[in-house]
Amino acid sequence: MRSIDGQTVAAHTHTGGKAGGAGCCGDHAGSANHGAGADGLEPGKAIDPVCGMTVTIATAKHISLAGGGVHYFCNPRCKERFEADPSAYAEGPPPPKAMPKGTLYTCPMDPEIVRDEPGPCPICGMALEPMDPTAAPSGPSPELLDFRHRLIVGAVLAVPLVAIAMGPHVGVPVRSWLGAQVADWIELALATPIVLWCGRPFLQRCWVSFESARLNMWSLIGIGVVAAYLYSLVATVAPEVFPASMRGAEGTIGVYFESAAVIVVLVLLGQVLELKARERTGDAIRALLDLSPKMARRIASDGSEGEVSLGDVRVGDRLRVRPGEAVPIDGVVLEGHSSVDESMLTGEAVPVERTPGDEVTGGTLNGAGSFIMEARRIGSETTLARIVAMVGEAQRSRAPIQKLADVVAGYFVPAVFAVAVLAFAAWAVFGPEPSLAYAFVAAVSVLIIACPCALGLATPMSIMVASGRGAKEGVLIRNAEMLERMADIDTLVVDKTGTLTLGRPKVTDVLAEPGVAEDELLALAGGLEMASGHPLAAAIIEAAHERGLELVGPQDFESRHGLGVTGLVAGRSVALGNLRLMGALGIDVGERLEAAERLRAEGRTVMAVAIEGRLAGLVATSDPIKDTAGEAIEALRADGIRIVMVTGDAMLTAAAVSRRLRIDETWAEQLPENKAQIVRSLRKAGAKVAVAGDGVNDAPALAEADVGIAMGTGADVAIESAGITLLRGDLRGIVRARRLARATMRNIRQNLFFAFGYNVLGVPVAAGVLYPFLGMLLSPMLAAAAMSLSSVSVISNALRLRNVRL
């Protein structure tokens, strides 16, 4: 029995869901919804009705009673989707959504490959992905699920395999207990499914690399795994082909099944991590798409209204947007007026007034008013769709560091093959009897010592350690690509709102007229604003509360769009708004006009307050600059970084911030398309550009930049579009990220040297060049030891990043 929301329920209630279907969420540890033994499930298991994954009931963390019965979920996202519409999952997980007609697919490693159907890449063998970001499935890719299952199976089988093989080296003589021959056969039984099933995708990619004559990492991995496995297989099944000098005390030949198995498991782990990182890229696209509502309220020619799918909206349709709803599509206001939160587009926290004739953008959020709009742009022509397309296109780009190993492997693999063939031929012709056995040993030793185990660890180990160190400093790094680029940046493009500033208005000045106390002015203004939902009203109320003032709500409150508000507060007539409101009310601002202009020149928003028909003073607000922004900008400038501010805010506001922080270059009143275009022009001019931002409006620029840096306090889509996230929203994190990036790239290059250095030095020895002089032939055991030593060197070197000074 379990307690859910105060109700006690049976833990094994059958819900009628079906297994199967593609997953819908990120991290599936298992998923829900059948009772013990239902539909062939093991006792204590259930099926998630949303994604079809299997969940262990006893440890399930996400449970719901919605829709009748008890439902178990693998992830909170699945639970949320189910509770939003339980009837949609009454028959179990829905079938995967078919890809739109005409969808094109490309390879994430070789973007020049474009196909009209999914399948393996003809160059590297990786699974092709949809080019259209909106066509990507909402859940984890089938490739990720497949590799995760293979990783689990491989890891489970590799543990006893490594224990048997390596036990004697740590004082646990497992092989002696079992007997050498029995141990060999057990290792063969454990390694075979790891190599042939778990490693099958890599072996297929290796084969494709040879078929296409494009040797790469998969070529090395396939060679290493096959060489270690086949050598050990022969040593186990037909040990008599080996010379007596290669036999151990019990007459057996050393086997290296653990080398083949560990290579497969490590590479699978790396692939799972990479696929999960690519999946987060898809989350960014979905976060953008979720901004737009799925339905619109269309007004027919006869005046009747009805809900229609967004896909059914046509140019020229009249749509009603009610209070609190998202604007469904790009268009123009025909009737009514309202304030619209366009922060997803401009980054500006203050809503803007929209009246007849003004344009509105799909995905922005309507305020308290209502209006009728005409649809002007639909489908792929909308601003939001263009942002999605720009983010998807920029995110498909690849960094040179990710192909460095492939470039080296292109030369290294043929060289290793050539040496192995020459070694075999030389030993077969000139070696002592049994010459073929010696030839085989020499060739296999060459291939084993060239195994890319350390190469596979070189970049992931450095990234893993650097990511951990960065996390401690509040810097989240997505992958090696971002680190490489971050180390080389020379230009930083920053947004203003939420990046350089706090992102919420605060009262900065209260200028009371003679005879009026500041507290009295602020109390009356705050009382009047209690009836308003405007962000500037919240700033005035907050300032009054900070002074301990008691506020009285207004009577006869009236909001005058584009001007301000009026009403009675404590029996006194109060008006608050811009200077146009004062003019409309016939109130003379007198000498305060100069003070208002001065405050506006400093980037402040100025509001006049009138009491009983006379000017009582001015209240100014601004979005305060973060305390650490100045220090961070100076540190970056001292490091040779050029600072460029690109913002959707007004020129006066942007100029004031630019002067205070000594920004090198400022662009104001910019839309998302312009921001991305500015970044693109900087890159075309040869600059290495990083972009720091926190809003949805920053997503295209973040994706277009060499490095996107998101404030962790900002929008999810900005975070998902960025390669680096600053959890604390502190620009000093950029300084730390750059120092960490430089240290990590040095570390990666050192690791690659270690990974190849041991192999390059060991290959000639493994081939037997020292035998004529020292009578020494490197056995596969020593070759494996050298390979392991290179891995240890790589890991030890990567761990040094934990102590790098940032």
Side-chain angles (χ1 to χ4, degrees):
M1 307 294 285
R2 302 187 69 175
S3 178
I4 308 173
D5 298 331
Q7 304 179 51
T8 301
V9 298
H12 292 255
T13 303
H14 178 74
T15 64
K18 298 179 191 174
C24 68
C25 53
D27 295 324
H28 292 280
S31 306
N33 268 14
H34 286 318
D39 293 346
L41 286 173
E42 298 178 12
K45 302 290 185 179
I47 295 295
D48 187 323
V50 175
C51 67
M53 297 293 289
T54 302
V55 170
T56 300
I57 293 175
T59 58
K61 297 180 180 179
H62 312 291
I63 307 171
S64 175
L65 299 177
V70 185
H71 307 265
Y72 302 90
F73 304 88
C74 66
N75 188 285
R77 290 167 58 186
C78 283
K79 179 181 176 183
E80 291 171 5
R81 293 185 183 187
F82 178 82
E83 291 181 338
D85 186 10
S87 62
Y89 303 98
E91 297 299 323
K97 183 179 67 174
M99 289 296 177
K101 186 177 180 180
T103 297
L104 297 178
Y105 300 82
T106 186
C107 174
M109 288 298 293
D110 301 282
E112 68 271 20
I113 298 300
V114 178
R115 296 288 186 270
D116 57 3
E117 60 182 8
C121 172
I123 294 177
C124 70
M126 295 184 69
L128 300 180
E129 298 178 352
M131 293 184 66
D132 180 3
T134 62
S138 61
S141 70
E143 188 178 26
L144 172 58
L145 295 176
D146 179 47
F147 278 20
R148 185 180 290 161
H149 294 153
R150 293 177 191 270
L151 174 60
I152 293 172
V153 172
V156 169
L157 294 176
V159 169
L161 174 57
V162 173
I164 294 172
M166 305 306 294
H169 299 286
V170 294
V172 184
V174 180
R175 292 183 64 84
S176 297
W177 298 340
L178 297 173
Q181 290 185 336
V182 173
D184 287 350
W185 282 99
I186 293 176
E187 288 186 33
L188 172 60
L190 292 170
T192 298
I194 296 178
V195 172
L196 299 185
W197 185 75
C198 299
R200 182 180 178 184
F202 310 142
L203 298 181
Q204 290 175 331
R205 293 175 183 181
C206 173
W207 179 258
V208 169
S209 73
F210 284 103
E211 276 191 325
S212 62
R214 297 280 293 267
L215 302 183
N216 51 36
M217 266 292 296
W218 305 117
S219 311
L220 285 173
I221 291 169
I223 292 169
V225 170
V226 171
Y229 179 77
L230 289 182
Y231 170 84
S232 302
L233 177 64
V234 174
T236 301
V237 176
E240 64 276 3
V241 304
F242 293 91
S245 60
M246 301 302 297
R247 299 179 183 277
E250 298 182 13
T252 58
I253 306 299
V255 294
Y256 308 98
F257 289 118
E258 80 284 355
S259 296
V262 169
I263 292 170
V264 170
V265 172
L266 287 176
V267 174
L268 278 169
L269 176 60
Q271 286 297 291
V272 168
L273 294 176
E274 180 182 344
L275 287 167
K276 289 183 70 175
R278 291 215 304 271
E279 188 178 70
R280 288 195 296 271
T281 298
D283 288 342
I285 300 297
R286 286 187 288 276
L288 281 170
L289 293 173
D290 287 344
L291 291 172
S292 179
K294 303 299 182 288
M295 305 292 290
R297 190 169 187 84
R298 183 166 60 188
I299 303 175
S301 56
D302 60 0
S304 61
E305 299 182 11
E307 296 283 344
V308 297
S309 170
L310 209 60
D312 294 331
V313 175
R314 298 291 178 263
V315 173
D317 283 352
R318 293 190 304 154
L319 309 174
R320 183 180 297 279
V321 182
R322 294 176 294 190
E325 292 182 340
V327 178
I329 211 160
D330 292 4
V332 63
V333 177
L334 298 177
E335 302 175 20
H337 51 73
S338 183
S339 59
V340 178
D341 180 357
E342 295 186 344
S343 58
M344 60 82 68
L345 192 65
T346 65
E348 177 57 55
V350 179
V352 294
E353 298 294 330
R354 288 293 177 250
T355 57
D358 292 337
E359 292 187 352
V360 287
T361 304
T364 56
L365 186 62
N366 183 33
S370 175
F371 59 87
I372 296 174
M373 61 172 288
E374 178 183 308
R376 292 288 178 88
R377 290 188 295 271
I378 62 175
S380 61
E381 298 300 318
T382 66
T383 301
L384 188 60
R386 294 201 306 271
I387 291 175
V388 169
M390 284 190 290
V391 172
E393 181 179 353
Q395 286 179 336
R396 284 197 297 270
S397 61
R398 308 291 292 183
I401 187 64
Q402 294 183 321
K403 292 196 174 184
L404 177 60
D406 285 351
V407 171
V408 176
Y411 296 98
F412 185 68
V413 174
V416 169
F417 261 125
V419 172
V421 171
L422 289 174
F424 185 90
W427 279 97
V429 175
F430 303 108
E433 289 299 331
S435 59
L436 287 179
Y438 278 110
F440 181 76
V441 168
V444 169
S445 295
V446 168
L447 293 174
I448 288 180
I449 205 169
C451 179
C453 186
L455 180 61
L457 288 172
T459 297
M461 276 303 301
S462 295
I463 299 306
M464 188 181 302
V465 178
S467 298
R469 178 64 197 279
K472 290 182 180 179
E473 300 290 337
V475 178
L476 297 185
I477 302 165
R478 177 161 295 188
N479 52 36
E481 174 183 352
M482 294 299 107
L483 279 167
E484 182 201 25
R485 295 181 176 185
M486 189 66 188
D488 295 332
I489 65 164
D490 54 32
T491 302
L492 174 65
V493 175
V494 293
D495 180 42
K496 181 187 77 69
T497 306
T499 302
L500 296 174
T501 65
L502 293 177
R504 58 180 185 275
K506 293 183 71 71
V507 172
T508 58
D509 302 271
V510 179
L511 305 179
E513 291 291 298
V516 180
E518 285 189 8
D519 284 357
E520 177 188 9
L521 175 68
L522 200 57
L524 291 173
L528 180 63
E529 291 284 37
M530 290 180 68
S532 173
H534 200 282
L536 295 182
I540 294 174
I541 294 172
E542 181 183 0
H545 287 157
E546 288 176 354
R547 297 194 181 198
L549 304 178
E550 183 176 348
L551 303 183
V552 178
Q555 296 177 333
D556 298 332
F557 177 83
E558 180 183 357
S559 175
R560 304 193 180 192
H561 289 281
L563 298 175
V565 293
T566 61
L568 295 176
V569 181
R572 304 173 71 180
S573 172
V574 181
L576 183 151
N578 55 32
L579 297 184
R580 286 187 296 146
L581 175 64
M582 299 296 109
L585 296 176
I587 298 172
D588 182 18
V589 296
E591 298 179 355
R592 287 298 183 182
L593 181 60
E594 182 179 347
E597 292 298 331
R598 175 179 55 81
L599 291 171
R600 278 202 294 267
E602 295 175 358
R604 291 167 169 76
T605 299
V606 181
M607 293 164 284
V609 182
I611 302 174
E612 299 295 352
R614 298 184 60 185
L615 182 69
L618 302 177
V619 176
T621 65
S622 73
D623 188 2
I625 294 174
K626 293 180 179 178
D627 295 337
T628 59
E631 177 187 346
I633 294 298
E634 286 303 314
L636 290 166
R637 284 169 55 88
D639 202 23
I641 303 297
R642 175 190 178 198
I643 310 298
V644 179
M645 181 171 71
V646 182
T647 178
D649 278 0
M651 180 62 72
L652 281 175
T653 303
V657 173
S658 180
R659 285 193 301 270
R660 287 188 58 185
L661 294 177
R662 297 177 59 215
I663 303 294
D664 295 309
E665 185 178 344
T666 300
W667 296 72
E669 302 176 4
Q670 301 297 316
L671 293 176
E673 295 92 335
N674 304 111
K675 290 186 178 185
Q677 180 60 43
I678 291 170
V679 173
R680 194 176 299 117
S681 64
L682 288 171
R683 293 182 65 195
K684 285 183 178 179
K688 303 294 184 183
V689 183
V691 173
D694 76 326
V696 174
N697 61 299
D698 301 314
L702 288 169
E704 183 66 41
D706 293 292
V707 180
I709 304 171
M711 303 293 108
T713 53
D716 288 343
V717 67
I719 295 173
E720 294 296 343
S721 297
I724 295 177
T725 300
L726 307 182
L727 288 179
R728 305 184 186 110
D730 184 349
L731 281 180
R732 291 177 300 181
I734 298 178
V735 181
R736 294 191 291 270
R738 193 160 187 263
R739 292 171 180 168
L740 180 61
R742 287 177 167 177
T744 304
M745 292 312 301
R746 285 196 303 268
N747 195 268
I748 288 175
R749 294 185 182 100
Q750 293 164 359
N751 284 349
L752 291 173
F753 171 79
F754 286 129
F756 282 108
Y758 282 100
N759 295 346
V760 170
L761 293 175
V763 164
V765 177
V769 297
L770 297 181
Y771 186 82
F773 309 101
L774 302 177
M776 184 181 77
L777 177 62
L778 184 67
S779 72
M781 181 179 295
L782 293 178
M787 178 191 68
S788 300
L789 183 58
S790 65
S791 298
V792 171
S793 300
V794 164
I795 294 171
S796 301
N797 187 56
L799 291 176
R800 293 191 306 111
L801 286 172
R802 294 184 300 181
N803 302 317
V804 66
R805 293 186 60 182
L806 301 180

